[in-house]
Each structure stands twice: as C-alpha cells, then as structure tokens.
Amino acid sequence: MKQQKTRVRFAPSPTGPLHIGGVRTALYNYLFAKQRGGDFILRIEDTDSTRFVPGSEEYIQEAFDWLGLPFDESPREGGDYGPYRQSQRREIYKEQVHRLLERGAAYIAFDTPEELDAKRKEVPNFQYDASTRGQMRNSLTLGKEETKRLIDRKTQYVVRVKIEPNREIAVDDMIRGKVVINSSVLDDKVIYKSADELPTYHLANVVDDHLMKITHVIRGEEWLPSAPLHVWLYQNLGWETTMPKFAHLPLLLKPEGNGKLSKRDGDRLGFPVFPLEWKDPASGQLSMGYREAGYLPEAVINFLALLGWNPGTEQELFTLDELIQAFSFERCSKSGAKFDIDKAKWYNHQYIQNMSNLVIAKQFHPTLEEKGISVSIEKVTRIVGLIKDRVHFLKELWEQSYFFFEAPTNYDEKTARKRWKEETPDQMRQLIELFETMENFTANHQETVVKQWISENGFNMGGIMNALRLAIVGEPKGPAIFVITELIGKRETIRRIEGAINTLSLSA
Ligand code: GLU
C-alpha cells in the first residue's frame, strides 16, 4: 500500500490571542509534518459563537507569518479540503449527525437548561449517561412520534452521543503510549445544538480531522480527556481504520513549576505569554508580545522547541531545518516543562551574536536617523561589532553605544566621586596636550603613547584610564576606551575631556 501523506493540523478556537503554549503545539506539528514531507494545516474552530473574539483569526495568522511557519492550507491560502473555518461547514456536520442518529449511536434530547439544573441539584454528581438517560426527556424515553411532534413544533433540542457503558476505549498516544479507559466514565456529550444549527467542538473536530485526511493529531495535554470520546466517534462513524494517531503534549508550567503557565504569570514576572502584542477589543487592555518585546522569531522557535523536547545531546542552538531533522516524539517529555524566561533571553542573545553586523546595523540605522544622528552604515556596522555581545535585544543597542554618537550629558555620580580626584583635571589637561601631538589616532597607537606617558610621569594607570572613560562615556561601561576614542576622533575626544574638566571640576 502506498504510504499516506502526513497531514497535521493546528486547530485554534478564535477566542483571543494565541498563548505561547499554543505556539509550541503548532511548532511541534510543523516540525513533525515537515520531517515527513507532509502538510501543515490551519483550521479555525469557531463553532462556539459565545466565545468568539473578533480579530483572533487575523492575529493567529499574523503570528505565524512573523514566526516564519507557513501553513500549506488555511482559511487565507485555501486548499483542497476547505472551507477551513468550521462555521462555514455546517452542512457537513449535519450529515454526520444524521448518520450517528440513524445508527443509534446518538439521540435527541429536549431537556432545558432549567431541567438539567434541577436534576443536578437532585442527584449528586449527576452525569447524563446510560444510568440516567432513562429518566430524562429525550428521544429514547419519549419515542419516535413524540420526538417528531416536538421537532415539528420547533422545540429546541440537542443531539447527544449514546455511550455504551463498560466498554474499553483505547487511545494510542505517541508520547504516552496506550491509554485505556472504561466507557462508563464518559457522559453522553452534546455533539449538536439545534439553537444555532452547529456541532460542538468534539464532533466538528473529529469530522474535520477525518475529511481533511489528518494523519496525526498533535495537541495540548488538556485535550487528553476528550480523546476517548473522539476515538468513540471515529468508531461509530465507521472511520476507525483511518483514525489519526494522537500525541498529547505536556503543559508549559509556571517558572516555579506549580501549575499551568498563565497570562497572570507573565504579568506578575514581566514577560510576554503571547507571540504578538494583543489589544483586547472589549476592555482595550494591552498585553505584551514576544515580537514587540524584541525577540527574534528564530530565537522564540528554538526556545520553544526545547521546552518539552530534547535532542538527547548537549546541543542547544538549532536552525529550523535542524529542528525538523532532529525532532521526535520519543524525545518529548511526559511531564510539564517549566517556563524559563531567562533561557528565552539567552537564546535571543545567541541569535543576535549570529546575525551579521551589517544586518544589525541596517536595522539600527533608522533609530539613529530619528535622533538626528547622521553616520555612515559602515561606521554603524563597526560599532555594532564592538557592542553586540552586550545586548540581549536589538533595542538595547542604543544604550550600549550612544557614546559613539554623542557626548555624555551627565556623569555617573558614584563614579565621579570615586574616579575624579583633585589631581585629575591637571592630568587630563596634560592628556589633551598629548593627544594634540598625535598624528596617528588609531587605538593601538594611542594606547602605546598614553601608557608610556603614564609611566614616565609616575601616574596611576587605573586612575587615568577610569577618569578618561568617565569623560568620554559618562559611565563606567563600554568597550576598550581607545577603540571608542579612535572612532569618535581626536577633536571630539579632546572636546569631551574639556567638557568633563569644566563640569566635574565645578561640582567638586
Ligand atoms: N479547538 C481546540 C483548541 O482550541 C482544538 C483542540 C485540538 O487540537 O483538537 O485548542
């Protein structure tokens, strides 16, 4: 038999921004599919109109555009198995609901919410199932004619699955192995509602996975409890032989490891839990995004890939292609992965180091222009090379390099107190004279000449160097001081030393 083409889907509900755990789920789907030359599909599960949040679908699509994980089929791109929004597939689901009813695998129930509530109060731990369905208002207790009469009179109803008790239902999971449950624990879940003529998640999800020829269902562990019902649906729809394989991914945990990572943890600890910034359309509340926080998409992908999966080696940095090669469910952990934002920052730092200085310079240049600084891209490229190992985010470039472009406007007080001594102004004046005599202003030459001058005069090396840095940078930071002075040039160097003598000697 011809090997079936691997087809996986990411199936979010448009209920708001995508949680970073959802991004990881999508990523594992992508890696697995691409390793096998398969398709990666986006399906929007929007059958619950009460939870619909406008803008979510656009947000999801934009997030994957940014991440660089393209869908082979999606609402936007279309494909042979569309539509890819469940709300546009009503007729398809209705047909399958009828098949289940005809087979006696489902029944119609008229119980109103009030009646169900009353029953729940009356019977502790009430569950609508084989043990209770005989006491309820449904097609099994009312009979064919009464059911027809009620439907003709436009009475609202739901369709429920009719779970046979005491059967074994097995879910084969690529991460957890075989999980067997007894069908008696399942209830007769609602799969269709006449009120909006829409199926519920369970039916729509299974029907679409079948019709879209999905071979592997890879999703979060929160869906594991639904899996037995899904298996039951495949069996009762007669699709058991083409049932997809399952993989339920472990949760992303709070940094402390106790419980599921939530938006509140991000707010509490100051890191994003969404790929892109999100403005809640109802409350107007703004939530941080990885993109806006300055993370590179490649770093986010690499970071997420290793949250729940490991390569079995010490390797931590992977290109997307390497991840596609290396990924496997055998190396996915069964237990939750603690979220570690410092690791995400580390990845971002690593990816910045691997970017070419020119590429970074081109991104940095507009920031400089906005500040009214005109400087060649060659010079910015050189400066980037000197400071990039000090940044975790590209937006930190300015604070690590401003002194290449402008003189300090104030001087770090603590350093000034410690480094700017009584004798310093006079020494700095001598240093200006020394600089004036120098034709060659390269870092190397400056260093040789200045060091010689220091030892000839019996000055303190640290004292001079720290004072010079304070004058040029304003703070005790930055790359080698003579590299800075070479780049800003002799005139600017002298001007800054004069500025420091004036300002700091006054305040002393
Ligand atoms: N619509 C479900 C969700 O929002 C899909 C779960 C699944 O992948 O089966 O996550």
Side-chain angles (χ1 to χ4, degrees):
M1 215 175 85
K2 198 171 149 269
Q3 183 78 42
Q4 229 188 350
K5 188 175 196 191
T6 298
R7 286 172 59 80
V8 301
R9 86 303 192 272
F10 180 55
S13 296
T15 56
L18 188 60
H19 188 276
I20 197 73
V23 177
R24 187 198 56 169
T25 298
L27 173 63
Y28 285 16
N29 271 281
Y30 177 89
L31 297 177
F32 182 74
K34 295 302 148 186
Q35 183 176 78
R36 299 156 69 105
D39 295 329
F40 174 54
I41 295 147
L42 175 64
R43 183 174 74 223
I44 298 294
E45 302 211 321
D46 57 350
T47 56
D48 186 351
S49 55
T50 61
R51 296 183 60 218
F52 180 81
V53 175
S56 316
E57 182 185 322
E58 293 76 5
Y59 176 97
I60 289 165
Q61 186 64 70
E62 191 181 337
F64 288 97
D65 289 344
W66 176 67
L67 287 161
L69 301 175
F71 294 105
D72 297 293
E73 296 163 31
S74 68
R76 189 177 73 185
E77 305 298 328
D80 292 341
Y81 300 86
Y84 293 90
R85 267 181 219 108
Q86 291 187 326
S87 58
Q88 296 168 339
R89 298 169 64 82
R90 285 165 197 266
E91 295 312 313
I92 296 171
Y93 307 124
K94 274 190 198 169
E95 193 185 323
Q96 302 308 328
V97 171
H98 281 128
R99 285 184 58 223
L100 287 170
L101 285 168
E102 267 160 35
R103 290 169 170 233
Y107 59 94
I108 289 171
F110 297 99
D111 320 272
T112 62
E114 294 75 32
E115 286 166 347
L116 287 168
D117 268 350
K119 200 76 187 171
R120 277 188 207 108
K121 282 199 190 106
E122 180 193 324
V123 184
N125 302 322
F126 171 77
Q127 172 162 294
Y128 209 125
D129 63 15
S131 69
T132 58
R133 63 170 85 106
Q135 314 156 22
M136 308 299 290
R137 282 205 319 125
N138 53 49
S139 54
L140 305 173
T141 55
L142 300 172
K144 235 184 172 156
E145 260 167 46
E146 176 64 2
T147 300
K148 187 174 177 310
R149 200 182 63 82
L150 285 171
I151 292 175
D152 288 346
R153 278 177 37 197
K154 303 265 179 286
T155 316
Q156 298 294 4
Y157 64 89
V158 299
V159 176
R160 291 182 178 272
V161 290
K162 188 171 172 231
I163 302 281
E164 215 52 66
N166 266 317
R167 302 277 159 92
E168 279 196 345
I169 302 182
V171 179
D172 234 327
D173 190 286
M174 292 186 282
I175 298 175
R176 285 147 217 275
K178 198 168 174 175
V179 186
V180 182
I181 68 129
N182 186 302
S183 64
S184 300
V185 304
L186 301 181
D187 62 337
D188 289 355
K189 276 259 167 350
V190 172
I191 55 167
Y192 179 84
K193 297 189 273 25
S194 70
D196 53 9
E197 294 185 79
L198 278 170
T200 60
Y201 155 73
H202 301 289
L203 184 86
N205 188 268
V206 165
V207 167
D208 285 347
D209 283 346
H210 173 74
L211 295 178
M212 294 181 178
K213 295 207 162 52
I214 299 302
T215 55
H216 299 81
V217 166
I218 302 158
R219 59 185 173 191
E221 153 180 278
E222 62 273 31
W223 303 101
L224 186 60
S226 304
L229 172 62
H230 295 184
V231 170
W232 184 95
L233 283 165
Y234 284 109
Q235 290 168 345
N236 284 274
L237 285 160
W239 298 335
E240 202 175 356
T241 54
T242 56
M243 184 161 75
K245 289 200 166 60
F246 292 97
H248 289 94
L249 306 173
L251 288 176
L252 290 190
L253 302 176
K254 295 179 192 301
E256 301 87 349
N258 52 339
K260 193 181 162 191
L261 178 74
S262 72
K263 172 166 150 40
R264 229 182 288 142
D265 299 312
D267 292 343
R268 176 171 63 93
L269 300 163
F271 61 79
V273 297
F274 302 128
L276 316 178
E277 193 171 85
W278 167 258
K279 188 172 178 187
D280 187 89
S283 67
Q285 201 202 352
L286 204 64
S287 303
M288 282 184 277
Y290 277 84
R291 180 177 64 183
E292 291 73 15
Y295 285 88
L296 301 167
E298 298 83 358
V300 173
I301 286 177
N302 198 152
F303 164 65
L304 288 178
L306 278 95
L307 266 183
W309 168 82
N310 74 81
T313 65
E314 294 296 299
Q315 188 178 349
E316 292 191 280
L317 292 168
F318 288 83
T319 64
L320 188 55
D321 281 336
E322 287 170 337
L323 286 173
I324 291 171
Q325 292 301 318
F327 183 80
S328 76
F329 285 111
E330 289 85 65
R331 297 210 148 275
C332 280
S333 123
K334 285 191 197 49
S335 51
K338 262 192 232 170
F339 199 81
D340 177 2
I341 197 64
D342 289 333
K343 197 73 202 190
K345 287 184 191 155
W346 179 83
Y347 272 110
N348 216 50
H349 176 78
Q350 296 300 321
Y351 275 84
I352 288 174
Q353 307 321 303
N354 290 340
M355 280 170 86
S356 90
N357 297 340
L358 179 60
V359 168
I360 298 176
K362 282 183 178 157
Q363 293 194 32
F364 186 32
H365 203 245
T367 314
L368 297 171
E369 281 184 331
E370 266 168 42
K371 293 180 189 286
I373 295 160
S374 98
V375 50
S376 72
I377 199 82
E378 290 73 28
K379 192 165 177 185
V380 180
T381 306
R382 215 180 135 195
I383 291 168
V384 162
L386 293 169
I387 56 145
K388 73 173 178 184
D389 64 337
R390 291 160 197 263
V391 306
H392 284 83
F393 299 98
L394 293 179
K395 61 183 171 192
E396 292 168 356
L397 287 169
W398 171 252
E399 66 185 71
Q400 292 300 336
S401 69
Y402 65 87
F403 44 83
F404 285 106
F405 309 106
E406 57 183 35
T409 44
N410 48 48
Y411 301 92
D412 181 61
E413 238 177 77
K414 208 173 128 209
T415 318
R417 228 177 297 128
K418 204 161 147 211
R419 305 297 187 191
W420 200 266
K421 308 237 168 70
E422 225 187 293
E423 65 276 18
T424 308
D426 189 48
Q427 291 170 334
M428 288 295 117
R429 271 185 213 106
Q430 290 186 47
L431 182 58
I432 290 175
E433 272 168 39
L434 184 69
F435 280 148
E436 292 282 13
T437 65
M438 287 165 62
E439 289 288 319
N440 177 350
F441 208 62
T442 59
N444 276 340
H445 187 67
Q446 287 182 59
E447 184 165 352
T448 317
V449 174
V450 172
K451 281 189 174 161
Q452 199 187 337
W453 167 80
I454 289 173
S455 75
E456 275 169 7
N457 286 280
F459 293 150
N460 176 292
M461 172 81 90
I464 298 288
M465 297 306 243
N466 288 319
L468 177 60
R469 183 174 292 277
L470 183 65
I472 302 296
V473 178
E475 287 178 78
K477 75 173 188 192
I481 190 64
F482 295 120
V483 172
I484 304 176
T485 50
E486 178 189 329
L487 265 157
I488 64 176
K490 187 158 110 179
R491 290 266 59 87
E492 176 65 11
T493 301
I494 290 172
R495 209 174 62 77
R496 288 192 195 181
I497 302 173
E498 282 168 347
I501 295 173
N502 290 337
T503 313
L504 291 167
S505 307
L506 267 181
S507 60

